[in-house]
Amino acid sequence: MSKYVLMRLLQSIVTILLVTAIVFVVIRVIGDPTHLMLPPEATAADRELLRRTMGLDEPLVIQYLRFLGDLAVGDFGLSYRFNQPAMSVVLERVGHTLVLTFTALGIAVLIGVPIGVMSAVYRDSWIDLTGKLFAIVGQSAPPFFFGVLMIAFFSVHLGWLPTGGTGGVQYLIMPAIALGWYSAAGTMRLTRASMSEVLEAEYIKMAKIKGLPQRVIIYKHALRNACLPVITFTALQLGVLLGGAVSVEAVFAWPGLGFLILKSIEDLDYTIVQAAVTLIALSFAAINLLVDLLYAWIDPRIRYD
Amino acid sequence: MNFSAALGLCFFVSLAMGSSVANAGPLDKPARDKDALVIATARGIDNLDASVTATADSQRYAWQIYDTLYKFDRRGQMQPSLATAVEIAPDAKTYTFTLRKGVKFHNGDPMTAEDVAFSMQRMLDPETKSTRRPNFATVVDTVETPAEDKVIFKLKKPDGAFLNKISAFLYVLPKKYIVGLGSPAAFSASPVGTGPYRFEKQQIGQTLDLVRFEEFWGEKPAIQRLHFRLIPEDSSRVNALLAGEVDLIDTVPPRESKRLAATKDLTVVHAPVASPLHIRLYANRPELPIHDVRVRQALNYAINKKAIVDSVLHGVGEPMASYISKYYPYGHDATLKPYPYDPNKAKQLLKEAGYPNGFKTSLYTYPGMPKELPEVLAAFWQQVGVQTEIKPLAYSAWSRLNNTHQTDPMTVMQFANSMYDPAHPVNGAFIKGGTWSDYYNPEVERIFAETEGVTDLEKRGQLFKSIDRIIHEDAAAVFISELFYSFGHKSNLEWHAQLGDGYFNFRTARWK
């Protein structure tokens, strides 16, 4: 097991290096920030001077090695746009992004799984139909759209909730629902499909014949077996939610990481993009590792030695 | 159940849509109280070091926190500010400022000539990475401080627009404080100026809180606190105003401005930014049809500017005849009339130029421009036989090409100017070597060179008027419209938007 963990760690480090290298090169290919920073009075010499001050005149390889050297001591450089250390700007946003993402994920699981189970157990009943409607609406309308509708209704019309920004729980409700509904719909459908399959299995029939109560059959025997794909899906949803959060962050003026990265790419703020991507690559490597270990824990058949 | 759920959703949607009419927000009251103003902006405030960051960033906060030696009044006339007087040598190479006495920085330090000289030198130092450096690096020779209240700028060459540049870009910063800080980043994190508001706190790029500076040298603002917050999404920003959560929003989307204006207790203001919306033409490329003045005129005659303003800009615009905005204090030739919509004349001109069947061309555009604009232009030109392929690019890609003369043969563009003197746009767009200039006319070059030594504003105005006329007659660009910034605010807020540039000024804002 420890050998396996070590191997996976090495893999993760290689992945992170690759990801940072790709982003490092791609963002530099997209454009040159000095074009966005200088006024039309600037001559080619002015531009060259600024590039030199910013260290952008050196060959890419040298720039990348320098970046890795600074990375080793935790220095990601100054953001051009904010004139502040890039990582501290990124870290300021991470908390907000995590709160929003995990609340949305919580909504997805807490709503998606029970409805999925109920739909599978009472297939083709009105419960199932309602569940399906919930899923179709959730999956066909983008989070962005829900956000705008909710603001118009709950903030402008009723005045119950703030239109956006951060603060107490009241600021979190609408963005989390807007973001979580889409994933809840997916979780529901997957749980339903997975449960339906498991409920047909021989051992479930056996459990029924044994006369076990339905509650025990569903939650102890069926759901435990049906939840493996749901766990994988939920872990993947974390990525989807982080990506989908961009539009929700924009609509609710939520100070998250997604919108920051989007703007930083637009403004060619290299250092912010690099800091954020490195952080995200690190987190995903960690999450993947955790999920693999979680598999081993839940399904005793999976062994890594 | 199924059906009623759907019905419920419809009800929800219709209510949401109906909310534009039936609105519950208390719009006759400030969002917080009469001591505070809550402002929502479409772009965040990024870097609080106003002499480093570009206008697109600093225009929202700079005039609240900082002062300049001279300042622009609401229409761009220069008035004494931290300086009480300026003496300009006849050769336009020496500018001597007398400083106001008793001015204090937010940290309590007195403002002296040393600070002024330091502010200029700091901007010129490449390590500061100031975006303003190119405005001064080629001009400023030395800065002398013969007395505590005297600063002399000696220039390498005459610059008739130097006072404008000083008024627009030289924010006076505290030398002792900055030297003590050590790093430029530390100043951005905790800026100090002499302006009527001092920095309180910031959520980087997201919110900014300013508090009135009680020892401000000038007239103190009526409102004690300014709170800026970023709301990037158009509809959310409008909704925040409708919900009464914010008092003022910028960048009202054109399609929403009539609805907001019709809402009780709300006011919509369209402030000119004196930025010509135009098509940049690569006129000096002999291989292109637009090298011929008749073709350039034809492109101007072929479009209905009034219709473009009414439809694409939702009525928020004014057709332009030439390049120098009428919202500058001088330089605009008011006798010029925009090219009328005359497709027959356009066809005839094209025929004379040797293009009886038109020609094929292309037009670059970027996301900051109304999406419909290039489409409408292409449709108008199609009517006279000019086939236009539209090439949309991301802003960063477009600006790189546009700054290196690669958006040929044509691109949609605007040209903002924060120093109120036409030298900036004329130099940038029509003088040989200008970053955005692909036009060469010896007569324009000659007159422009003459303006460089002229400090008398009336005379400068006359010279620029003649340039304005030449550019119009020569159809050096396709002139479309004046651009406006649209603001929405609660009607009981008394606030006057700056005219002719994009800077926000809340010094005199007050609640009724």
Side-chain angles (χ1 to χ4, degrees), chain A residues 239-261:
Chain A
V240 174
L241 287 176
L242 282 171
V246 174
S247 67
V248 173
E249 281 169 14
V251 169
F252 291 99
W254 185 266
L257 197 55
F259 190 70
L260 176 72
I261 296 177

Side-chain angles (χ1 to χ4, degrees), chain B residues 172-188:
Chain B
V172 177
L173 308 178
K175 177 180 180 181
K176 210 173 111 198
Y177 174 75
I178 292 179
V179 171
L181 284 176
S183 80
F187 185 70
S188 295

Side-chain angles (χ1 to χ4, degrees), chain A residues 134-174:
Chain A
F134 166 83
I136 287 169
V137 173
Q139 289 206 305
S140 43
F144 168 89
F145 178 68
F146 274 128
V148 173
L149 282 187
M150 278 195 283
I151 289 175
F153 186 61
F154 292 108
S155 304
V156 181
H157 191 79
L158 295 175
W160 288 354
L161 293 167
T163 58
T166 50
V169 179
Q170 71 272 29
Y171 289 89
L172 182 61
I173 298 172
M174 291 197 293

Side-chain angles (χ1 to χ4, degrees), chain A residues 30-31 35-42 46-47 49-50 53-54 78 81-84 92-93 96 133 144 148-149 151-157 162-164 250-251 253 255 259 266 268, chain B residues 2 5 12 15-17 19 22 24 46-47 126-127 129 131 133-135 184-185 188-189 203-206 229-230 232-233 235-236 239-240 245 395-396 399-400 403-404 415 424 435-436:
Chain A
I30 298 176
H35 284 292
L36 303 177
M37 296 165 74
L38 291 177
E41 277 84 359
D46 289 330
R47 183 154 293 125
L49 183 65
L50 184 58
T53 327
M54 292 167 68
L78 282 188
R81 193 151 59 99
F82 301 110
N83 205 24
Q84 296 293 310
E92 216 183 275
R93 306 293 175 102
H96 294 291
L133 179 73
F144 168 89
V148 173
L149 282 187
I151 289 175
F153 186 61
F154 292 108
S155 304
V156 181
H157 191 79
T163 58
V251 169
F259 190 70
E266 264 176 37
L268 301 172
Chain B
N2 201 349
F12 168 76
L15 267 186
M17 295 312 176
S19 68
D46 295 339
N47 180 0
E127 284 300 319
K129 291 179 246 176
T131 59
R133 190 178 172 278
N135 289 294
S188 295
Q203 207 181 1
I204 298 173
Q206 207 75 28
R229 63 185 258 206
L230 162 72
E233 171 58 32
S235 63
S236 303
N239 279 329
E245 245 174 70
Y395 183 72
S396 52
S399 75
R400 180 169 52 89
N403 286 354
T404 49
F415 201 138
H424 176 63
T435 304
W436 298 329

